[in-house]
Amino acid sequence: MQITKKAIPYTPNTKPLHELNIMIVSTAGVHHKDQEPFNTDPTVGDATFRIIPGDVNSAELTVTHAAPKEHYNTDAPKEDINCVFPIDRLRELAADGDIKGLAEKHITMMGYSMRLKKINEETIPAVVKEVVRSQADAVLLTAG
């Protein structure tokens, strides 16, 4: 099934939660402090994505997002990244046996771009390939 305005592909989960490796896919603008920040130019935005290693220290993550007053206030995620990218909370769930674990990588985007054609034709297919390659059992989607 292809993504259309009327249909979003969905695969029902058949495993119990404690057997799932979870991948985070976020449009909150999260990235490693050493990675290139997202392009915040409001006339263009950013159609790229970042790969976040599964073993990343959450203190090494930050947020870059276009026009915080028009989109979302990034003060809270800069203080605690878990409010938009709950990697530490997922690690706690894994340690408690509630989930199997975390994927070896996670994917983030800024979630704002004027280049929708590029996102639909290039970015999303590339993100889907990364998700499939990761062999994650489930994806947790977050936004800013």
Side-chain angles (χ1 to χ4, degrees):
M1 179 185 285
Q2 289 189 346
I3 295 176
T4 68
K5 290 181 181 178
K6 294 183 180 181
I8 298 173
Y10 173 73
T11 303
N13 176 41
T14 58
K15 292 182 178 181
L17 201 53
H18 69 272
E19 293 180 9
L20 299 179
N21 279 315
I22 310 290
M23 171 187 255
I24 302 170
V25 175
S26 178
T27 58
V30 175
H31 59 91
H32 194 279
K33 290 177 181 176
D34 291 342
Q35 290 175 317
E36 180 179 348
F38 291 100
N39 182 351
T40 60
D41 180 342
T43 63
V44 181
D46 199 317
T48 64
F49 65 93
R50 307 287 181 275
I51 302 290
I52 307 294
D55 62 353
V56 69
N57 180 336
S58 62
E60 297 171 352
L61 299 174
T62 190
V63 174
T64 301
H65 207 288
K69 290 183 180 183
E70 288 83 22
H71 296 272
Y72 87 100
N73 186 326
T74 58
D75 291 345
K78 286 181 179 177
E79 195 170 307
D80 180 5
I81 202 70
N82 286 282
C83 67
V84 294
F85 193 81
I87 194 157
D88 292 330
R89 302 300 75 85
L90 288 174
R91 288 178 177 142
E92 291 167 1
L93 289 171
D96 291 344
D98 295 317
I99 63 173
K100 184 176 180 180
L102 276 75
E104 63 186 27
K105 61 184 168 185
H106 307 282
I107 300 172
T108 65
M109 299 168 41
M110 186 172 71
Y112 173 78
S113 177
M114 299 302 291
R115 297 178 286 177
L116 298 179
K117 181 176 169 99
K118 180 176 178 149
I119 288 175
N120 285 330
E121 294 178 359
E122 297 176 30
T123 308
I124 297 305
V127 167
V128 168
K129 283 182 184 176
E130 292 292 339
V131 171
V132 170
R133 285 184 196 143
S134 78
Q135 299 182 351
D137 299 304
V139 172
L140 174 64
L141 301 173
T142 71

